[in-house]
Amino acid sequence: MRTSLPVVDADLLALLRTDLIAARFTVPGIAEVLGPMAGAALAREHPLPAERVTDSSTDPCAALIRLFTLGAPVDVREVQAALPNVGVDGITTLGLVRHEGDAVVATCDLRPYATERDTWWVASDLDELATGEPLRPDHVLGIGGASTTLASWTPRCPVDRALDVGTGSGVQALHLSRDASQVVVSDLSERALAYAAFNAALNGVTWDIRRGSMLEPVAGETFDLIVSNPPFVITPRDGSVPLFEYRDGGAAGDAVVADLVAGLGAHLVPGGVAQLLGNWEIARDADWRDRVGAWVADSGLDAWVVQREVQDPAQYAETWARDGGHHAGTAQFRAMYASWLDDFASRDVEGVGFGIITLHKPSTDREPFVDLMDVRGPVAAVMGPTIAAGLAARERLATLSDEDLLDVAWAAAADVTVEHHLVPGSSQPRAVSVVQGGGLRLRVPLDSYAAGYVGVADGSITPRQALVAVAAILEEDAAEVTARVVPMLRYLIANGFLID
Ligand SMILES: C[S@@+](CC[C@H](N)C(=O)[O-])C[C@H]1O[C@@H](n2cnc3c(N)ncnc32)[C@H](O)[C@@H]1O
């Protein structure tokens, strides 16, 4: 089913906003109408409970859920009652619905999106749940898991210029609008940019919208903050797998992400930050750190990469065949699956890593730092502050000598606890770990020297003072003890266990 594109009309959009707010077509409003079971089922892509709840409700929000989220035809009078100011004529002019007898049917997905500070609405193409059909090659993605992951990891502070590469319907750009004086968005897809323009107007923000591939539309320009949820999906190039613009950047293997990493340095001001999601191939017997480490080393930028997940080729094929609307059991699914396995085998790839790459342009003349971490477990829901603090700590450590580090009176951060592991009957811990309650939620085993310092680190004593005392008690060489503990102290400071 060919869907039309939404139309920007400032007056009608102002009326639409008024109506959406009045109908409580907001994140809390929808949660209230659906209730926890139907809401959770819908999040798992099972619409039936939501259909049952909204079919039996006269709430205007229920009518809008049926129309814009579930893709159902809704009686014209019901829609008119739910949107009395903009009216059915208005949303028809805006290109959001078409008429089917006495009913209207949505031609795009429209849903609220909220942060602690904002409520926005985002229009995008209807997904396969609503259309019942596989996605079109030029499908414009709404808000997905990857979108919210990137948004939650981006460090936020007031900046002058920000860029969203591969903006799609503009989810990241909405976040950028909060803190940036100027927001530039780019995408290769004309269709995506039509949605981006609509969403900017609907939410009352202004973006400089550019069409073109990756960084081409911003040649010669620099930014304080660049974000990108790029089309990073590794896709066989033999034609057997449909190419979706929203996830396929047009290159073999993981080259799209490697090329983007290589290009970002030229577009950052000194002190600027770029953050992107990525997939990387892990060949047999290889370490992902070598591959991604080589990308970032060549970029000349500080880099902090957190690998969050690794899938084997079979898991990867299943994930992305399903994402495109194909289901196990069909001949097409089987052919795609085989093609993905062949493609990875041709490069001896045994795993695909997924993670968040944060790059920073040093503002002084120093060696860039590179930190590649594997953190698979749950992390804080909002990671931006952790990234901002971690970048600042790593930048400081890049020029802090071991000697100077030993003379700072560090304090354990408020979310840090120490775990002592005791053998039953013994009062002496066999092992000690330091645990983070927030951020990356790291748990780090400590040797007795590092544990000795962390146990007293309250901002009043330096590592040198504490470790010299410990060395004297144990009759060990103080210089040797402090030198042995420094790498662990650096790790704890970089990751926010120790602050000053
Ligand atoms: C995964 S979507 C991200 C959408 C949105 N930024 C988000 O976070 O949800 C990737 C976007 O990149 C765009 N894209 C694909 N190939 C591109 C290219 N060569 N240059 C720029 N954008 C591209 C797609 O049209 C799509 O909008």
PDB file of all heavy atoms in Angstrom, residues 141-142 147 164 166-168 171-172 187-189 192 212-214 229-231 245-246 248-249, ligand 1:
ATOM      1  N   LEU A 141      11.401   4.875   9.329  1.00  0.00           N
ATOM      2  CA  LEU A 141      11.299   4.293  10.660  1.00  0.00           C
ATOM      3  C   LEU A 141      10.739   5.292  11.670  1.00  0.00           C
ATOM      4  O   LEU A 141      11.078   6.472  11.617  1.00  0.00           O
ATOM      5  CB  LEU A 141      12.729   3.941  11.066  1.00  0.00           C
ATOM      6  CG  LEU A 141      12.994   2.796  12.018  1.00  0.00           C
ATOM      7  CD1 LEU A 141      12.435   1.500  11.466  1.00  0.00           C
ATOM      8  CD2 LEU A 141      14.504   2.688  12.245  1.00  0.00           C
ATOM      9  N   GLY A 142       9.945   4.775  12.586  1.00  0.00           N
ATOM     10  CA  GLY A 142       9.527   5.595  13.722  1.00  0.00           C
ATOM     11  C   GLY A 142      10.554   5.472  14.838  1.00  0.00           C
ATOM     12  O   GLY A 142      11.739   5.309  14.580  1.00  0.00           O
ATOM     13  N   SER A 147      16.832   3.854  18.333  1.00  0.00           N
ATOM     14  CA  SER A 147      16.652   5.312  18.479  1.00  0.00           C
ATOM     15  C   SER A 147      16.728   5.706  19.951  1.00  0.00           C
ATOM     16  O   SER A 147      17.412   6.663  20.323  1.00  0.00           O
ATOM     17  CB  SER A 147      15.293   5.772  17.952  1.00  0.00           C
ATOM     18  OG  SER A 147      14.852   5.038  16.861  1.00  0.00           O
ATOM     19  N   ASP A 164      22.516  15.826  13.100  1.00  0.00           N
ATOM     20  CA  ASP A 164      21.975  14.463  13.174  1.00  0.00           C
ATOM     21  C   ASP A 164      22.128  13.843  11.783  1.00  0.00           C
ATOM     22  O   ASP A 164      21.456  14.252  10.839  1.00  0.00           O
ATOM     23  CB  ASP A 164      20.497  14.530  13.600  1.00  0.00           C
ATOM     24  CG  ASP A 164      19.834  13.158  13.646  1.00  0.00           C
ATOM     25  OD1 ASP A 164      20.552  12.139  13.573  1.00  0.00           O
ATOM     26  OD2 ASP A 164      18.589  13.115  13.757  1.00  0.00           O
ATOM     27  N   GLY A 166      21.574  10.966   9.157  1.00  0.00           N
ATOM     28  CA  GLY A 166      20.599   9.883   8.975  1.00  0.00           C
ATOM     29  C   GLY A 166      19.426  10.132   9.913  1.00  0.00           C
ATOM     30  O   GLY A 166      19.034   9.280  10.695  1.00  0.00           O
ATOM     31  N   THR A 167      18.835  11.296   9.807  1.00  0.00           N
ATOM     32  CA  THR A 167      17.847  11.739  10.805  1.00  0.00           C
ATOM     33  C   THR A 167      16.551  10.951  10.768  1.00  0.00           C
ATOM     34  O   THR A 167      15.847  10.861  11.767  1.00  0.00           O
ATOM     35  CB  THR A 167      17.568  13.253  10.624  1.00  0.00           C
ATOM     36  OG1 THR A 167      16.875  13.726  11.762  1.00  0.00           O
ATOM     37  CG2 THR A 167      16.746  13.535   9.361  1.00  0.00           C
ATOM     38  N   GLY A 168      16.211  10.349   9.607  1.00  0.00           N
ATOM     39  CA  GLY A 168      14.938   9.626   9.527  1.00  0.00           C
ATOM     40  C   GLY A 168      13.790  10.565   9.838  1.00  0.00           C
ATOM     41  O   GLY A 168      13.691  11.667   9.291  1.00  0.00           O
ATOM     42  N   VAL A 171      13.955  11.820  15.261  1.00  0.00           N
ATOM     43  CA  VAL A 171      13.891  11.572  16.712  1.00  0.00           C
ATOM     44  C   VAL A 171      15.079  12.193  17.439  1.00  0.00           C
ATOM     45  O   VAL A 171      14.922  12.890  18.449  1.00  0.00           O
ATOM     46  CB  VAL A 171      13.887  10.048  16.989  1.00  0.00           C
ATOM     47  CG1 VAL A 171      13.855   9.765  18.473  1.00  0.00           C
ATOM     48  CG2 VAL A 171      12.745   9.393  16.293  1.00  0.00           C
ATOM     49  N   GLN A 172      16.296  11.924  16.931  1.00  0.00           N
ATOM     50  CA  GLN A 172      17.487  12.457  17.619  1.00  0.00           C
ATOM     51  C   GLN A 172      17.487  13.984  17.549  1.00  0.00           C
ATOM     52  O   GLN A 172      17.903  14.667  18.487  1.00  0.00           O
ATOM     53  CB  GLN A 172      18.782  11.915  16.994  1.00  0.00           C
ATOM     54  CG  GLN A 172      18.840  10.411  16.814  1.00  0.00           C
ATOM     55  CD  GLN A 172      18.631   9.649  18.125  1.00  0.00           C
ATOM     56  OE1 GLN A 172      18.968  10.135  19.197  1.00  0.00           O
ATOM     57  NE2 GLN A 172      18.058   8.451  18.019  1.00  0.00           N
ATOM     58  N   ASP A 187      19.855  13.335   5.564  1.00  0.00           N
ATOM     59  CA  ASP A 187      19.430  11.970   5.239  1.00  0.00           C
ATOM     60  C   ASP A 187      19.514  11.816   3.724  1.00  0.00           C
ATOM     61  O   ASP A 187      19.412  12.805   2.980  1.00  0.00           O
ATOM     62  CB  ASP A 187      17.995  11.707   5.717  1.00  0.00           C
ATOM     63  CG  ASP A 187      17.725  10.237   5.988  1.00  0.00           C
ATOM     64  OD1 ASP A 187      17.710   9.455   5.014  1.00  0.00           O
ATOM     65  OD2 ASP A 187      17.567   9.867   7.174  1.00  0.00           O
ATOM     66  N   LEU A 188      19.699  10.562   3.298  1.00  0.00           N
ATOM     67  CA  LEU A 188      19.709  10.291   1.860  1.00  0.00           C
ATOM     68  C   LEU A 188      18.280  10.207   1.328  1.00  0.00           C
ATOM     69  O   LEU A 188      18.019  10.463   0.155  1.00  0.00           O
ATOM     70  CB  LEU A 188      20.452   8.966   1.614  1.00  0.00           C
ATOM     71  CG  LEU A 188      20.785   8.597   0.186  1.00  0.00           C
ATOM     72  CD1 LEU A 188      21.673   9.655  -0.463  1.00  0.00           C
ATOM     73  CD2 LEU A 188      21.482   7.243   0.136  1.00  0.00           C
ATOM     74  N   SER A 189      17.368   9.848   2.213  1.00  0.00           N
ATOM     75  CA  SER A 189      15.998   9.565   1.793  1.00  0.00           C
ATOM     76  C   SER A 189      15.133  10.820   1.768  1.00  0.00           C
ATOM     77  O   SER A 189      14.930  11.479   2.786  1.00  0.00           O
ATOM     78  CB  SER A 189      15.389   8.536   2.764  1.00  0.00           C
ATOM     79  OG  SER A 189      13.992   8.611   2.750  1.00  0.00           O
ATOM     80  N   ALA A 192      12.223  10.332   4.092  1.00  0.00           N
ATOM     81  CA  ALA A 192      12.545  10.578   5.510  1.00  0.00           C
ATOM     82  C   ALA A 192      12.564  12.074   5.788  1.00  0.00           C
ATOM     83  O   ALA A 192      12.051  12.540   6.813  1.00  0.00           O
ATOM     84  CB  ALA A 192      13.893   9.954   5.857  1.00  0.00           C
ATOM     85  N   GLY A 212      21.437  14.179   1.278  1.00  0.00           N
ATOM     86  CA  GLY A 212      22.703  13.690   0.739  1.00  0.00           C
ATOM     87  C   GLY A 212      23.209  12.527   1.566  1.00  0.00           C
ATOM     88  O   GLY A 212      22.633  12.177   2.589  1.00  0.00           O
ATOM     89  N   SER A 213      24.297  11.929   1.092  1.00  0.00           N
ATOM     90  CA  SER A 213      24.809  10.727   1.748  1.00  0.00           C
ATOM     91  C   SER A 213      25.724  11.087   2.918  1.00  0.00           C
ATOM     92  O   SER A 213      26.630  11.917   2.777  1.00  0.00           O
ATOM     93  CB  SER A 213      25.565   9.876   0.725  1.00  0.00           C
ATOM     94  OG  SER A 213      25.922   8.650   1.326  1.00  0.00           O
ATOM     95  N   MET A 214      25.457  10.497   4.041  1.00  0.00           N
ATOM     96  CA  MET A 214      26.259  10.602   5.271  1.00  0.00           C
ATOM     97  C   MET A 214      26.729  12.041   5.525  1.00  0.00           C
ATOM     98  O   MET A 214      25.894  12.906   5.699  1.00  0.00           O
ATOM     99  CB  MET A 214      27.427   9.599   5.228  1.00  0.00           C
ATOM    100  CG  MET A 214      26.961   8.160   4.993  1.00  0.00           C
ATOM    101  SD  MET A 214      25.612   7.615   6.051  1.00  0.00           S
ATOM    102  CE  MET A 214      26.457   7.157   7.520  1.00  0.00           C
ATOM    103  N   ASN A 229      22.380   7.546  14.321  1.00  0.00           N
ATOM    104  CA  ASN A 229      21.947   6.153  14.367  1.00  0.00           C
ATOM    105  C   ASN A 229      21.981   5.740  12.904  1.00  0.00           C
ATOM    106  O   ASN A 229      20.988   5.816  12.202  1.00  0.00           O
ATOM    107  CB  ASN A 229      20.535   6.087  14.969  1.00  0.00           C
ATOM    108  CG  ASN A 229      19.909   4.718  14.859  1.00  0.00           C
ATOM    109  OD1 ASN A 229      20.563   3.744  14.486  1.00  0.00           O
ATOM    110  ND2 ASN A 229      18.625   4.637  15.174  1.00  0.00           N
ATOM    111  N   PRO A 230      23.159   5.363  12.398  1.00  0.00           N
ATOM    112  CA  PRO A 230      23.322   5.225  10.947  1.00  0.00           C
ATOM    113  C   PRO A 230      22.726   3.909  10.434  1.00  0.00           C
ATOM    114  O   PRO A 230      22.357   3.051  11.232  1.00  0.00           O
ATOM    115  CB  PRO A 230      24.848   5.213  10.789  1.00  0.00           C
ATOM    116  CG  PRO A 230      25.359   4.633  12.063  1.00  0.00           C
ATOM    117  CD  PRO A 230      24.371   5.006  13.144  1.00  0.00           C
ATOM    118  N   PRO A 231      22.614   3.781   9.137  1.00  0.00           N
ATOM    119  CA  PRO A 231      22.107   2.527   8.561  1.00  0.00           C
ATOM    120  C   PRO A 231      23.203   1.467   8.662  1.00  0.00           C
ATOM    121  O   PRO A 231      23.892   1.180   7.683  1.00  0.00           O
ATOM    122  CB  PRO A 231      21.805   2.923   7.117  1.00  0.00           C
ATOM    123  CG  PRO A 231      22.725   4.076   6.839  1.00  0.00           C
ATOM    124  CD  PRO A 231      22.933   4.791   8.115  1.00  0.00           C
ATOM    125  N   GLU A 245      16.188   1.266   3.020  1.00  0.00           N
ATOM    126  CA  GLU A 245      16.971   2.501   3.173  1.00  0.00           C
ATOM    127  C   GLU A 245      17.261   2.826   4.637  1.00  0.00           C
ATOM    128  O   GLU A 245      18.309   3.338   4.974  1.00  0.00           O
ATOM    129  CB  GLU A 245      16.194   3.686   2.574  1.00  0.00           C
ATOM    130  CG  GLU A 245      16.668   4.084   1.206  1.00  0.00           C
ATOM    131  CD  GLU A 245      15.863   5.262   0.652  1.00  0.00           C
ATOM    132  OE1 GLU A 245      14.748   5.518   1.140  1.00  0.00           O
ATOM    133  OE2 GLU A 245      16.357   5.896  -0.293  1.00  0.00           O
ATOM    134  N   TYR A 246      16.311   2.501   5.517  1.00  0.00           N
ATOM    135  CA  TYR A 246      16.468   2.928   6.916  1.00  0.00           C
ATOM    136  C   TYR A 246      17.568   2.173   7.644  1.00  0.00           C
ATOM    137  O   TYR A 246      18.015   2.597   8.696  1.00  0.00           O
ATOM    138  CB  TYR A 246      15.146   2.806   7.686  1.00  0.00           C
ATOM    139  CG  TYR A 246      14.705   1.396   7.995  1.00  0.00           C
ATOM    140  CD1 TYR A 246      15.180   0.726   9.111  1.00  0.00           C
ATOM    141  CD2 TYR A 246      13.795   0.741   7.177  1.00  0.00           C
ATOM    142  CE1 TYR A 246      14.769  -0.568   9.395  1.00  0.00           C
ATOM    143  CE2 TYR A 246      13.374  -0.533   7.452  1.00  0.00           C
ATOM    144  CZ  TYR A 246      13.864  -1.186   8.553  1.00  0.00           C
ATOM    145  OH  TYR A 246      13.456  -2.458   8.829  1.00  0.00           O
ATOM    146  N   ASP A 248      20.171   0.098   5.709  1.00  0.00           N
ATOM    147  CA  ASP A 248      21.264  -0.325   4.844  1.00  0.00           C
ATOM    148  C   ASP A 248      21.936   0.884   4.216  1.00  0.00           C
ATOM    149  O   ASP A 248      21.314   1.635   3.481  1.00  0.00           O
ATOM    150  CB  ASP A 248      20.726  -1.242   3.739  1.00  0.00           C
ATOM    151  CG  ASP A 248      21.844  -1.660   2.807  1.00  0.00           C
ATOM    152  OD1 ASP A 248      22.646  -2.512   3.212  1.00  0.00           O
ATOM    153  OD2 ASP A 248      21.951  -1.085   1.703  1.00  0.00           O
ATOM    154  N   GLY A 249      23.201   1.060   4.525  1.00  0.00           N
ATOM    155  CA  GLY A 249      23.915   2.248   4.043  1.00  0.00           C
ATOM    156  C   GLY A 249      24.568   2.057   2.689  1.00  0.00           C
ATOM    157  O   GLY A 249      25.269   2.960   2.210  1.00  0.00           O
TER     158      GLY A 249
HETATM  159  C1  LIG B   1      18.401   3.585  11.515  1.00  0.00           C
HETATM  160  S1  LIG B   1      17.707   4.954  10.720  1.00  0.00           S
HETATM  161  C2  LIG B   1      17.840   6.187  11.979  1.00  0.00           C
HETATM  162  C3  LIG B   1      16.674   7.120  12.050  1.00  0.00           C
HETATM  163  C4  LIG B   1      16.689   8.057  13.264  1.00  0.00           C
HETATM  164  N1  LIG B   1      17.839   8.925  13.235  1.00  0.00           N
HETATM  165  C5  LIG B   1      16.627   7.304  14.563  1.00  0.00           C
HETATM  166  O1  LIG B   1      17.540   7.448  15.378  1.00  0.00           O
HETATM  167  O2  LIG B   1      15.681   6.540  14.769  1.00  0.00           O
HETATM  168  C6  LIG B   1      18.982   5.386   9.571  1.00  0.00           C
HETATM  169  C7  LIG B   1      18.678   6.554   8.672  1.00  0.00           C
HETATM  170  O3  LIG B   1      19.783   6.715   7.776  1.00  0.00           O
HETATM  171  C8  LIG B   1      19.288   7.046   6.493  1.00  0.00           C
HETATM  172  N2  LIG B   1      20.281   6.671   5.466  1.00  0.00           N
HETATM  173  C9  LIG B   1      20.434   5.507   4.803  1.00  0.00           C
HETATM  174  N3  LIG B   1      21.498   5.571   3.987  1.00  0.00           N
HETATM  175  C10 LIG B   1      22.030   6.807   4.152  1.00  0.00           C
HETATM  176  C11 LIG B   1      23.139   7.477   3.602  1.00  0.00           C
HETATM  177  N4  LIG B   1      23.932   6.874   2.725  1.00  0.00           N
HETATM  178  N5  LIG B   1      23.374   8.749   3.990  1.00  0.00           N
HETATM  179  C12 LIG B   1      22.574   9.365   4.900  1.00  0.00           C
HETATM  180  N6  LIG B   1      21.516   8.757   5.469  1.00  0.00           N
HETATM  181  C13 LIG B   1      21.247   7.509   5.103  1.00  0.00           C
HETATM  182  C14 LIG B   1      17.991   6.306   6.369  1.00  0.00           C
HETATM  183  O4  LIG B   1      17.133   6.903   5.403  1.00  0.00           O
HETATM  184  C15 LIG B   1      17.464   6.406   7.811  1.00  0.00           C
HETATM  185  O5  LIG B   1      16.643   7.533   7.950  1.00  0.00           O
END
